[in-house]
Amino acid sequence: MNVDAYLRRIGLAGPAPLRELHRAHQAAVPFENLSIHLGEPISLATDDLVDKVVRRRRGGFCYELNGLFALLLEELGHTVTRVGARVHDGTRFGPPFDHLALLVSEPDGGGPWLADVGFGRHSSYPLRLDERGEQVDPGGTFRLADADGGDVDVLLDGTPQYRIERKPRALADFAPTCWWQQTWPESHFRKGPVCARLDGEGRITLSGRKLIRTSGTERTEVVLDSDEEVLAAYEEHFGIVLATVPKG
């Protein structure tokens, strides 16, 4: 991996503290599922991830973004444990490996932290893994709670987001679920194209043809009528240049 090129991709001139890396990554690299709606295969091989995110300046979903971010952190001297998580759908937790999150210790021994640059709306900064009180973040008020079997629940404004399994995993362990998320007709990633990133203290999202800006409790929404407007929005707001509009 070309660390300098990766750091430039996220808008940094050189190595930075974990907190700064975490926020910069989410501001520069969008959470997006466009490959699924463009008919592009998703690969978790390191060279393919670097090519997509760093060289072609695209984004990705959790397995891609957290998978690649873990490699950057390790290159910078952090200790990283890749862990599976089960996403809460509002009713119950999903299957194992539904999400990939990172447990990180800093080179100077600081941490451990929960780092996650691949969940869409989440914390701007890493969350303290061993803290059980409220952790206030620009993204909301987070709380980590102990669950059965040593698992840890992540809650945002009192609502469960996902349950972390503490067992260390390799990125390859997530390949079957990554394929399943791409191909299962009921996968929420197949419902429609979405692309989102941090934008100042809020977020900007292109969901289908809707360009959405959120900041705190404020939300604005604009419908883009033409393909040309959609393609221009991808380029202007996310730096993504596409030849065709993602289907869905």
Side-chain angles (χ1 to χ4, degrees), residues 16-198:
L18 174 62
R19 179 179 173 86
E20 186 176 346
L21 291 165
H22 196 272
R23 181 177 175 82
H25 201 288
Q26 294 182 82
V29 182
F31 173 90
E32 51 107 329
N33 65 348
L34 304 183
S35 289
I36 294 173
H37 299 277
L38 290 168
E40 301 171 349
I42 294 175
S43 168
L44 300 185
T46 298
D47 287 348
D48 293 331
L49 293 176
V50 171
D51 180 65
K52 183 178 182 180
V53 174
V54 179
R55 299 193 189 101
R56 294 194 285 127
R57 305 185 71 81
R58 284 281 301 278
F61 59 178
C62 69
Y63 311 112
E64 300 171 281
L65 300 185
N66 283 329
L68 192 57
F69 190 51
L71 296 176
L72 174 66
L73 294 179
E74 288 173 335
E75 289 284 345
L76 295 174
H78 297 74
T79 301
V80 182
T81 302
R82 297 150 182 82
V83 293
R86 301 166 59 197
V87 177
H88 198 276
D89 64 4
T91 303
R92 58 190 174 85
F93 289 103
F97 302 104
D98 200 20
H99 180 59
L100 164 64
L102 308 175
L103 309 184
V104 182
S105 295
E106 297 173 272
D108 63 1
W113 302 94
L114 168 62
D116 192 342
V117 299
F119 192 63
R121 185 194 173 197
H122 198 58
S123 64
S124 299
Y125 300 105
L127 301 174
R128 184 80 192 191
L129 184 64
D130 54 7
E131 172 60 57
R132 294 297 176 263
E134 292 185 344
Q135 301 188 53
V136 179
D137 179 90
T141 300
F142 289 82
R143 186 170 64 85
L144 275 59
D146 294 317
D148 293 342
D151 292 352
V152 177
D153 288 347
V154 180
L155 298 93
L156 168 58
D157 296 332
T159 301
Q161 302 297 292
Y162 54 77
R163 175 169 290 175
I164 300 167
E165 179 191 35
R166 299 289 291 271
K167 182 177 180 179
R169 300 290 185 179
L171 184 57
D173 294 336
F174 296 86
T177 313
C178 180
W179 174 84
W180 175 76
Q181 298 281 22
Q182 299 172 64
T183 58
W184 182 47
E186 297 303 312
S187 168
H188 65 276
F189 289 110
R190 294 185 59 86
K191 301 301 183 184
V194 64
C195 187
R197 66 172 180 83
L198 285 182

Side-chain angles (χ1 to χ4, degrees), residues 167-246:
K167 182 177 180 179
R169 300 290 185 179
L171 184 57
D173 294 336
F174 296 86
T177 313
C178 180
W179 174 84
W180 175 76
Q181 298 281 22
Q182 299 172 64
T183 58
W184 182 47
E186 297 303 312
S187 168
H188 65 276
F189 289 110
R190 294 185 59 86
K191 301 301 183 184
V194 64
C195 187
R197 66 172 180 83
L198 285 182
D199 184 36
E201 292 304 308
R203 298 186 65 80
I204 185 165
T205 303
L206 183 53
S207 179
R209 293 183 176 273
K210 294 180 180 179
L211 185 64
I212 304 163
R213 294 180 184 272
T214 57
S215 182
T217 60
E218 296 182 3
R219 174 187 170 104
T220 61
E221 184 177 302
V222 176
V223 177
L224 306 178
D225 296 320
S226 69
D227 285 359
E228 290 75 17
E229 287 179 296
V230 173
L231 293 175
Y234 278 122
E235 184 172 3
E236 177 183 355
H237 300 293
F238 306 99
I240 295 177
V241 178
L242 299 176
T244 59
V245 173

